Amino acid sequence: MSTDCHSQPLPTDKLCNNTFKETNMATIAFIGLGNMGAPMAINLAKAGHQVHAFDLSREAVAKVVAEGGSAATSAQEAVEGAEVVVSMLPASQHVEGLFLGNGSQAGLLQGITKGALIIDSSTIAAATSQKVAKAAQALGIGFIDAPVSGGTGGAIAGTLTFMVGGSAADLERARPLLEKMGKNIFHAGDVGAGQTAKICNNMLLGILMIGTSEAIALGVANGLDPKVLSEIMRRSSGGNWALEVYNPFPGVQDASAATRGYTGGFGTDLMLKDLGLAQESAMTVKASTPLGGMARQLYAAHSIAGHGGEDFSSVIKMLQKKG
């Protein structure tokens, strides 16, 4: 970032329009180092940016430090002097609590440098993104919601898809950083639009995973080899992302969460949360989403059965023939 953006105070109604070039690395606070956040932070550190990482898990922070980041002892410490703040948190209440605070603790916005840019890659309600953005902009801080798709494999490889809500100017400021973490960057519209695009995508993903699991379970119950059946469907009209890269049947694909005992991926409870957000959005605009509603019910039952911490592809377990 150029020195004028870093050293001069900015009026609250104007934010710096400079972007972060290869020859001028940014100072980044990265908060939230889960299965997705950690590899995203690592890719920024490997690109040469100064990444100050914070998470409640010391082990997660240590992984980023081992790849070139530095450890912060608190979120407040992480954002001191940061030009960019990237957050990757589980749900709306975490994002709102972090930036806006609660009755006993001040929000993080008070410690972020005027003229900085927040990139929130959490998947949350669009209304929460809009609420945080409004408060940030009042303090002269830029904000974009930039949820991602592509799974942990995409996060590690730096090939994620970003769905961005916010001004075109703020997106262009963020673009060089997003390009170090992702391959596809879409401007969905104003703040909150990225979140809406993400919940539409994840509703479809949940439906597709259930349908794919149901089809494979049916074939296996009839004596078919899951690898052969999956390849047939992958190359036929039933082909979809789950069959391509995230097969729910163990042993079909070496890199899938199913082959790792349904660990290290996108949790059932996170899918359930996103399907809930989709239903809330549908009710707000009176949209009809019967399959999305059914998918939410099935994932809720799967979670109640004790699989909430497993990858969402483990939903195949409730569809498989027993005995």
Side-chain angles (χ1 to χ4, degrees), residues 252-278:
V252 174
Q253 292 170 335
D254 291 341
S256 72
T259 302
R260 302 191 303 269
Y262 301 104
T263 62
F266 183 61
T268 290
D269 281 346
L270 290 176
M271 174 56 78
L272 179 59
K273 181 260 296 184
D274 290 356
L275 290 169
L277 289 172

Side-chain angles (χ1 to χ4, degrees), residues 52 58 145 151 215 297 300 313:
H52 302 301
R58 292 184 180 180
D145 54 297
Q297 291 176 9
S313 61

Side-chain angles (χ1 to χ4, degrees), residues 26 57 64 102 104 119 134 149 169 192 203 239 269-270 288:
S57 167
V64 177
N102 50 48
S104 61
I119 302 172
K134 183 178 180 180
S149 180
M203 183 180 73
D269 281 346
L270 290 176
S288 178

Side-chain angles (χ1 to χ4, degrees), residues 80-112:
E80 290 178 3
E83 298 159 296
V84 183
V85 178
V86 184
S87 49
M88 186 58 143
L89 302 174
S92 296
Q93 64 267 28
H94 303 114
V95 174
E96 184 169 341
L98 175 71
F99 289 110
L100 303 184
N102 50 48
S104 61
Q105 186 174 357
L108 199 61
L109 288 181
Q110 304 302 320
I112 297 176

Side-chain angles (χ1 to χ4, degrees), residues 138-154:
L139 296 172
I141 300 166
F143 182 98
I144 62 173
D145 54 297
V148 301
S149 180
T152 54

Side-chain angles (χ1 to χ4, degrees), residues 31 49 53 70 108 135 141 170 200 208 210-211 228 258 263 267 272 276 278 314:
I31 302 169
H49 297 289
S70 63
L108 199 61
I141 300 166
D170 281 341
C200 290
L208 286 174
I210 291 170
V228 174
T263 62
L272 179 59
S314 66

